[in-house]
Amino acid sequence: MYKIAQVDPVKCSATSCRLCTLFCPEPNTLFYDERRHTAFVAIDRCKGCAACVRICTDVAKRDCIKMIPVEAALGGFEMSRYGLPGRAQ
Ligand code: SF4
Ligand code: SF4
């Protein structure tokens, strides 16, 4: 089963620390959405390493990111829905 990271936007937006976005080893995968005030994952690019989960849980002490089966990803492909940050929709 292939797992990808998914951010809980309600929990994340309570602090919006952005820490996880600094540590994802994959380019253009873990973003911060200024409009929704939350980090989000481009699930079509996530490699499932779970580094962001450790950062959010162990360093930021927020526990906003879970690894979930790719089939269970809510909201579909974030990149398709929201595009790259700063790009006109
Ligand atoms: S580390 Fe956690 S709280 Fe901070 S931006 Fe990432 S998901 Fe949100
Ligand atoms: S699981 Fe790894 S590749 Fe996927 S968003 Fe988190 S840090 Fe990036």
Side-chain angles (χ1 to χ4, degrees), residues 3-5 20 23-26 29-30 41-42 45-53 65 67:
K3 290 190 173 183
I4 52 95
C20 59
F23 290 91
C24 176
E26 296 297 325
T29 301
L30 183 50
V41 176
R45 294 190 55 84
C46 176
K47 300 300 186 294
C49 70
C52 57
V53 176
I65 309 179
M67 300 305 294

Side-chain angles (χ1 to χ4, degrees), residues 19-49:
L19 196 60
C20 59
T21 63
L22 303 176
F23 290 91
C24 176
E26 296 297 325
N28 300 322
T29 301
L30 183 50
F31 297 103
Y32 187 81
D33 187 324
E34 299 287 351
R35 292 169 298 173
R36 295 185 295 154
H37 305 289
T38 181
F40 71 95
V41 176
I43 64 174
D44 48 342
R45 294 190 55 84
C46 176
K47 300 300 186 294
C49 70

Side-chain angles (χ1 to χ4, degrees), residues 6-9 11-21 30-32 37-40 52-53 55-57 59-65:
Q6 185 166 71
V7 179
D8 181 331
K11 291 178 71 174
C12 177
S13 63
T15 54
S16 303
C17 73
R18 308 176 193 212
L19 196 60
C20 59
T21 63
L30 183 50
F31 297 103
Y32 187 81
H37 305 289
T38 181
F40 71 95
C52 57
V53 176
I55 292 296
C56 187
T57 301
V59 181
K61 307 295 185 189
R62 293 291 302 154
D63 201 23
C64 302
I65 309 179

